[in-house]
Structures are given as structure tokens and as C-alpha cells.
């Protein structure tokens, strides 16, 4: 019988553990979020972060900018947040407006406040199998989900679809560090079906609705769906043709309710861990 992986329940466990660790602190962890785009999904995501901070009693400040924001204004803000001891985590919601240089902004963030784990120093530490100050939230959440369900990664043949710096690449690195055998597929990959049919675990992060069909998945494979798309009807769907693939897979994540809640939970966990780093007595 196929197990539907419950991301909401797993995220709740992470949040409740954080609540125990932080409830008696005199000073609370603090997260600063920069929103400089007009993407509706980004605004929804930032609002979710705000609500979760409020629920945990974390301090949260969101800096919202319209398209008139200049690169120098963001640079100035990053410097101010880096120097502010009351700010533990800095998050720049991507993408930024097209006229802004994302990489320059990311590299300006103090890597010990880089709550998303996007700074080249944190990426480099992860790739060297060292301990970054923060690990990208979605990949971290994926690994937590797999471990929560006691899924052994050692020696498993894993296909990660999507090579973004936010999800695909760091997920592949984390899996490699867990001793899985990883194939990183992408838009230029030839005969994707031939590759996925041999996978013990498939992790798809492309944003292409129902890309993964049942005939692309071997019997009892584990399927993790990171993608999310909105259909004309307004229904949210993932990269995976869930209704058909669930009849083949042994474990599968739903959309919504799978990886998404874990991303927020891991963001809160990263904020707390950076808070501890900056307040060693906490």
C-alpha cells in the first residue's frame, strides 16, 4: 500500500521542537525578509513566513519594495542588516526585479546570517561535505522528510530533476553526502523516462505540471514532488501526475501538503540555529 508522506505533520514536529527550545529565551530569534518583486506566489510565501514567525514568537521584519527600488538601496539595506545585532537571519526573496543583480545581493549577505544557505561560502561548505552555517531550506526539508519515514538513502539510485541553485543542485549534494548515488537531470537531459525508470527515488523540482507520469516510475519507487503549478481551474498541482503515480510508488508526497510545509519549518529552524551561532550562550 502506498504511503502518502505527510509534510504538514513532519513540519509540525519541527515547529513544536523549536517552540520548546525558544519558549523560555529572554531574547527571541529574528528574521529580516526582503521582498523586491511583484510575483504573487512570492508574496504568499512571505506572508506564510511572517505568520510562522509570529506563531513561534520570533521577531520578523519584511522590507517590501516596488519596481523603483535601486540596486544601491538594496546594497545599503543589506549592509545595515549585517551590522544589526538584533537581526539573526537575512532572507532575500527570489526572484528580484529584473533590473536588480541577484548574485551581488546574495554575496553581500553575511554568510552567518544567510538563512537561505545561498551564499557561496555556505554552498561551498555544503559541496565539501562540511557544515554550512545554513542549508537551503527546501533541500534540507526533503532530507528530513525522507529520514522521518526511515527511508535509507545509502547506495540508493536517486534521480533529481531540475538543476536550480535553490533546490536541484543542493538536493543532489545533500543526497551525495548521505551516500546515495545521484543523477541530476534537467531540461537538456535526453530520454528522461529511461533514467527515471531505474530510480529508487525520484525528486522532481521543475515546476512543469504533471511532468512525471506513471510509466516513468518503477514499481515501489519513492517519489518526492517539489514542483507546484496552478491550473486554469485554480487547483494546485505538482510535477508528478499524483493520482496515477501513487498507484506505482511506495511513498509519495502530495501537492500541496508535502515538501512545502517543510520549507517553512526549515527556514524557522535555520533562523534559530543562526540565532544560537550569534548568541553562543543561548
Amino acid at each position: 500500500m502506498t504511503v502518502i508522506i505527510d509534510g504538514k505533520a513532519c513540519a509540525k514536529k519541527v515547529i513544536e521542537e523549536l517552540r520548546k527550545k525558544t519558549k523560555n529565551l529572554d531574547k527571541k530569534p529574528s528574521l529580516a525578509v526582503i521582498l523586491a518583486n511583484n510575483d504573487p506566489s512570492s508574496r504568499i510565501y512571505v506572508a506564510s513566513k511572517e505568520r510562522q514567525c509570529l506563531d513561534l514568537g520570533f521577531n520578523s521584519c519584511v522590507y517590501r519594495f516596488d519596481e523603483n527600488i535601486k540596486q544601491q538601496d538594496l546594497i545599503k539595506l543589506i549592509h545595515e542588516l549585517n551590522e544589526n545585532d538584533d537581526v539573526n537571519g537575512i532572507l532575500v526573496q527570489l526572484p528580484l526585479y529584473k533590473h536588480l543583480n541577484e548574485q551581488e545581493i546574495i554575496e553581500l549577505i553575511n554568510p552567518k546570517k544567510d538563512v537561505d544557505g545561498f551564499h557561496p561560502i555556505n554552498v561551498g561548505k555544503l559541496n565539501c561535505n562540511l557544515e554550512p552555517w545554513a542549508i537551503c531550506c527546501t533541500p534540507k526539508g526533503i532530507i528530513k522528510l525522507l529520514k522521518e519515514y526511515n527511508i535509507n538513502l545509502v547506495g540508493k539510485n536517486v534521480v533529481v530533476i531540475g538543476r536550480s541553485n535553490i533546490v536541484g543542485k543542493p538536493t543532489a549534494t545533500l543526497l551525495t553526502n548521505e551516500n546515495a548515488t545521484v543523477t541530476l537531470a534537467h531540461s537538456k537531459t535526453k530520454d528522461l523516462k529511461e533514467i527515471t525508470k531505474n530510480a529508487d527515488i525520484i525528486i522532481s523540482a521543475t515546476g512543469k505540471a504533471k511532468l512525471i507520469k506513471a510509466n516513468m516510475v518503477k514499481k515501489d519507487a519513492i517519489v518526492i514532488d517539489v514542483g507546484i503549478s496552478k491550473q486554469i481551474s485554480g487547483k494546485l498541482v505538482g510535477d508528478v501526475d499524483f493520482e496515477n503515480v501513487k498507484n506505482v510508488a511506495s511513498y509519495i508526497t502530495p501537492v500541496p501538503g508535502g515538501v512545502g510545509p517543510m520549507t517553512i519549518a526549515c527556514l524557522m529552524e535555520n533562523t534559530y540555529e543562526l540565532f544560537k551561532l550569534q548568541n553562543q550562550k543561548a
Side-chain angles (χ1 to χ4, degrees):
M1 182 177 176
T2 302
V3 175
I4 309 299
I5 294 175
D6 191 341
K8 289 182 179 178
C10 189
K12 185 177 180 180
K13 286 181 68 173
V14 174
I15 293 299
E16 291 309 311
E17 188 62 30
L18 282 174
R19 200 184 306 280
K20 291 176 185 176
K21 291 177 179 178
T22 59
K23 69 177 181 179
N24 293 323
L25 292 175
D26 294 330
K27 183 180 179 182
K28 297 294 185 179
S30 176
L31 175 66
V33 178
I34 296 171
L35 179 60
N37 70 43
N38 51 16
D39 175 38
S41 60
S42 288
R43 295 177 185 278
I44 292 169
Y45 186 42
V46 167
S48 297
K49 295 169 184 176
E50 283 187 283
R51 286 194 298 271
Q52 191 60 77
C53 280
L54 181 64
D55 177 66
L56 279 169
F58 288 13
N59 296 314
S60 174
C61 185
V62 179
Y63 298 85
R64 293 177 170 86
F65 298 99
D66 62 26
E67 50 275 315
N68 294 316
I69 181 69
K70 296 178 181 178
Q71 184 79 5
Q72 284 304 120
D73 295 330
L74 278 189
I75 290 172
K76 181 174 181 290
L77 176 58
I78 295 293
H79 284 308
E80 290 172 355
L81 295 174
N82 281 341
E83 296 299 318
N84 188 342
D85 291 338
D86 291 328
V87 173
N88 306 119
I90 302 170
L91 184 154
V92 177
Q93 182 66 39
L94 301 179
L96 296 176
Y97 293 116
K98 290 183 179 179
H99 68 278
L100 298 172
N101 185 328
E102 291 183 356
Q103 195 57 38
E104 181 182 19
I105 296 300
I106 289 169
E107 290 184 16
L108 283 175
I109 297 172
N110 179 344
K112 292 184 180 180
K113 292 191 176 188
D114 168 37
V115 75
D116 259 336
F118 293 163
H119 193 283
I121 289 178
N122 284 321
V123 173
K125 282 176 170 282
L126 184 66
N127 285 330
C128 292
N129 202 9
L130 301 173
E131 191 169 335
W133 286 299
I135 296 172
C136 303
C137 301
T138 298
K140 184 178 183 180
I142 291 168
I143 300 298
K144 279 182 174 288
L145 273 180
L146 292 169
K147 290 185 175 182
E148 176 68 20
Y149 282 80
N150 298 312
I151 294 169
N152 182 21
L153 296 172
V154 177
K156 290 291 172 40
N157 181 12
V158 186
V159 174
V160 177
I161 308 167
R163 55 180 168 179
S164 73
N165 293 331
I166 295 172
V167 180
K169 289 179 182 177
T171 298
T173 300
L174 282 172
L175 290 162
T176 301
N177 293 349
E178 293 285 343
N179 296 309
T181 301
V182 183
T183 299
L184 183 59
H186 45 77
S187 60
K188 304 299 182 184
T189 297
K190 296 180 180 179
D191 201 352
L192 180 62
K193 177 181 174 182
E194 189 64 28
I195 295 171
T196 59
K197 282 287 288 185
N198 294 314
D200 301 312
I201 302 172
I202 298 171
I203 300 172
S204 187
T206 69
K208 294 183 179 179
K210 300 184 179 182
L211 171 70
I212 307 301
K213 309 294 186 184
N215 65 358
M216 299 172 68
V217 181
K218 79 174 183 180
K219 180 66 175 173
D220 293 331
I222 296 158
V223 181
I224 306 295
D225 192 349
V226 187
I228 189 163
S229 305
K230 182 179 283 189
Q231 298 186 312
I232 296 174
S233 64
K235 181 182 178 182
L236 295 176
V237 299
D239 286 2
V240 177
D241 182 5
F242 180 83
E243 291 303 324
N244 291 308
V245 173
K246 73 177 182 181
N247 297 321
V248 181
S250 57
Y251 292 82
I252 188 169
T253 58
V255 174
V259 174
M262 288 301 296
T263 298
I264 299 287
C266 288
L267 173 66
M268 297 299 109
E269 185 174 71
N270 282 358
T271 302
Y272 171 66
E273 288 172 352
L274 293 179
F275 167 82
K276 283 201 305 178
L277 178 68
Q278 296 157 37
N279 299 269
Q280 293 295 339
K281 294 180 181 179

